[in-house]
Amino acid sequence: MALPPEAIVRLDLGRIWLPHLTMEIPVHGFLIKHPAGAGLVDTGYGTPLELIKDYRPVNASVAEALRQHDVHASDICWVINSHLHFDHCGQNAVFPQAPVYVQRREYERRHKYKDTPAAWLQYAGARFELLDGEREIASGVRVVTTPGHTAGHQSIQIDTTEGPAVMTGDACWTVGMFDGEPPRAGMMEDASTFARSLDKMRRIKPAAVHFCHDNRTWHR
Ligand SMILES: [Zn+2]
């Protein structure tokens, strides 16, 4: 199934300051208006904001962001986390009815992410679906493994009527990086694996690329 490109809706989920990179970045999730039921890619950071105060978070509610698009949190049928850093899975608990798809390798390493509060992953009703590689989550919606930023990182590929659309997660941060600008140290756990994953996404020959940390969208 190919979705219309406008079925992918970017949600603005605040901003954070990255002390180790001395830069401020926007935080996005994506609502997928799928005819079989709405889905969500990444959930931003959670609350209380005090837990991540070093990152100077600006308040942002994923439920409110969804309401602006006439979608209620309880309408979300599935959630995909690209990875389990705090700014990608922080509001999973808003969707207790939805299975959360994450790579097993990522889930097993969650304790290594000291900045991800345990409570943001261990909430009442949490239902993680652990993946060992690539999988179609809904018709036309696939996860593709893109390690390097973290070992269990995954990106999302969606068939649209204009061609494939990719949601990179943190496997690529910006339009410029997708076009070849080198990533900075501190943006990845393993540089050569990160580079291979970036090439893998380019080989998909996407029509559009959507970023968690860039307000622009890349278009072919
Ligand atoms: Zn990350």
Side-chain angles (χ1 to χ4, degrees):
M1 170 187 291
L3 303 183
E6 59 272 18
I8 301 168
V9 180
R10 194 181 77 197
L11 304 175
D12 292 321
L13 302 178
R15 308 183 67 77
I16 50 173
W17 168 257
L18 300 182
H20 61 294
L21 292 166
T22 61
M23 63 190 284
E24 191 185 50
I25 56 173
V27 176
H28 302 144
F30 296 91
L31 162 66
I32 311 301
K33 290 185 159 177
H34 195 286
L40 186 64
V41 174
D42 284 346
T43 63
Y45 49 79
T47 54
L49 297 178
E50 180 67 15
L51 289 171
I52 51 167
K53 63 179 185 317
D54 291 350
Y55 294 93
R56 305 180 200 167
V58 176
N59 200 9
S61 157
V62 70
E64 179 54 37
L66 287 169
R67 264 197 298 278
Q68 288 172 12
H69 298 282
D70 299 318
V71 174
H72 193 272
S74 63
D75 297 335
I76 295 295
C77 298
W78 45 265
V79 171
I80 298 172
N81 289 145
S82 60
H83 63 303
L84 297 179
H85 282 164
F86 73 93
D87 52 328
H88 296 263
C89 61
Q91 294 180 71
N92 283 7
V94 173
F95 310 98
Q97 78 283 1
V100 177
Y101 293 93
V102 65
Q103 291 291 319
R104 183 186 309 279
R105 192 167 184 204
E106 185 71 9
Y107 188 75
E108 287 175 349
R109 295 170 83 261
R110 67 195 182 283
H111 306 296
K112 294 180 189 280
Y113 305 145
K114 61 178 174 32
D115 293 342
T116 303
W120 292 1
L121 297 176
Q122 294 163 9
Y123 49 93
R127 185 154 53 99
F128 284 93
E129 296 284 341
L130 302 182
L131 306 174
D132 297 300
E134 314 207 342
R135 169 98 73 90
E136 188 170 55
I137 304 300
S139 177
V141 179
R142 297 186 64 77
V143 297
V144 294
T145 53
T146 49
H149 175 73
T150 62
H153 191 284
Q154 61 185 357
S155 299
I156 294 82
Q157 177 179 344
I158 297 185
D159 297 334
T160 78
T161 51
E162 292 183 351
V166 173
M167 269 122 278
T168 61
D170 280 359
C172 183
W173 287 38
T174 61
V175 167
M177 197 182 290
F178 195 76
D179 281 333
E181 219 171 76
R184 290 168 58 188
M187 290 180 168
M188 60 221 153
E189 287 181 7
D190 185 274
S192 61
T193 312
F194 185 93
R196 272 199 298 279
S197 290
L198 196 43
D199 270 342
K200 180 179 180 176
M201 289 187 291
R202 292 180 185 129
R203 285 198 306 274
I204 291 170
K205 300 210 181 306
V209 184
H210 303 268
F211 304 95
C212 282
H213 301 310
D214 190 339
N215 287 328
R216 296 166 300 167
T217 303
W218 184 96
H219 292 283
R220 180 161 61 200

